[in-house]
Amino acid sequence: KAGVTQTPRYLIKTRGQQVTLSCSPISGHRSVSWYQQTPGQGLQFLFEYFSETQRNKGNFPGRFSGRQFSNSRSEMNVSTLELGDSALYLCASSLGQGRADTQYFGPGTRLTVL
Amino acid sequence: AQTVTQSQPEMSVQEAETVTLSCTYDTSENNYYLFWYKQPPSRQMILVIRQEAYKQQNATENRFSVNFQKAAKSFSLKISDSQLGDTAMYFCASNSGTYKYIFGTGTRLKVLA
């Protein structure tokens, strides 16, 4: 089975711009979660989608949004970029079965905001 | 609120030696799962081992084993016969069924030749 893929792998944007990141889960997985990883903060949960519905959301401002399509692929959008948004954005897919779920991670998208 | 704490930001170990990474957590749930993930320098995060809170027996995967102390809310990872390929960032995580994982801040492990 193909693993979780994320595109693009690297992005450079300037403050004020917006960006869209994409994640394709493992075939058969219906849950996609997004995380922001920074050296000081570790992995911070952004949101989780299951069957096109957002089931949980982390403590991020409304500039961060996401969606999931019927084929389980997910996109994450960040509007009005700030310097502090520079991070590695990780996507993880799973079956979506709750606490027993094992998440499988993609390679991440490295976003740099100048 | 759920929390996961890894108190060792960095550790090093000689090749072939054993090292233990610490993790403590807090949750009000009775049933939950705990995980250790490894993130090598290439950045792809992979699952190392997982433990169900209801299971008394400590999980083991080849050279990796955990010491799960439910009452103390402790979940440490032991790596035996350390190899250079074990050099990575290790994250402890919990999942209490709220559709999100809680991760610790990670421990950077360096295996020395």
Side-chain angles (χ1 to χ4, degrees):
Chain A
K1 257 185 189 177
V4 180
T5 57
Q6 292 187 246
T7 55
R9 293 292 310 276
Y10 301 91
L11 264 179
I12 299 176
K13 293 284 186 179
T14 55
R15 280 181 299 173
Q17 287 187 310
Q18 77 163 23
V19 66
T20 299
L21 313 181
S22 182
C23 172
S24 292
I26 291 171
S27 178
H29 285 190
R30 296 167 66 190
S31 170
V32 173
S33 297
W34 288 90
Y35 297 87
Q36 181 193 66
Q37 185 179 11
T38 56
Q41 299 292 322
L43 275 82
Q44 301 291 309
F45 172 76
L46 282 153
F47 25 66
E48 188 259 1
Y49 285 88
F50 179 83
S51 292
E52 303 178 68
T53 300
Q54 187 183 87
R55 290 196 299 190
N56 206 339
K57 189 177 188 305
N59 296 323
F60 278 81
R63 301 185 297 106
F64 291 81
S65 62
R67 59 177 176 168
Q68 187 180 35
F69 302 95
S70 58
N71 62 357
S72 293
R73 189 177 70 85
S74 178
E75 286 182 349
M76 190 193 96
N77 185 74
V78 188
S79 63
T80 319
L81 283 166
E82 300 177 358
L83 294 178
D85 297 333
S86 293
L88 182 68
Y89 290 88
L90 292 170
C91 157
S93 80
S94 67
L95 293 170
Q97 295 172 336
R99 59 178 63 90
D101 243 11
T102 294
Q103 294 194 333
Y104 297 86
F105 285 81
T109 294
R110 168 73 63 188
L111 172 65
T112 302
V113 182
L114 303 175
Chain B
Q2 297 177 64
T3 59
V4 175
T5 303
Q6 293 178 251
S7 58
Q8 304 153 314
E10 292 187 4
M11 294 187 74
S12 61
V13 61
Q14 289 293 136
E15 202 174 4
E17 297 292 309
T18 296
V19 64
T20 299
L21 281 57
S22 301
C23 173
T24 58
Y25 62 93
D26 193 17
T27 178
S28 56
E29 298 291 327
N30 287 321
N31 192 16
Y32 49 90
Y33 281 74
L34 299 166
F35 305 82
W36 278 99
Y37 279 88
K38 168 185 176 180
Q39 188 179 41
S42 65
R43 298 291 187 180
Q44 189 94 33
M45 188 99 72
I46 56 175
L47 177 70
V48 174
I49 200 166
R50 76 174 201 170
Q51 172 85 40
E52 183 180 359
Y54 271 151
K55 289 193 174 174
Q56 300 272 11
Q57 189 172 4
N58 289 325
T60 299
E61 285 288 340
N62 301 314
R63 298 182 295 107
F64 298 88
S65 62
V66 298
N67 182 4
F68 175 47
Q69 303 287 331
K70 191 172 183 179
K73 294 185 177 175
S74 170
F75 182 60
S76 60
L77 175 69
K78 186 172 85 169
I79 306 174
S80 303
D81 185 25
S82 296
Q83 300 174 1
L84 295 178
D86 295 333
T87 292
M89 195 77 163
Y90 287 82
F91 291 95
C92 177
S94 73
N95 184 354
S96 300
T98 55
Y99 308 121
K100 72 176 184 181
Y101 276 39
I102 304 297
F103 282 85
T105 50
T107 295
R108 186 177 303 280
L109 176 68
K110 189 167 186 179
V111 180
L112 307 171

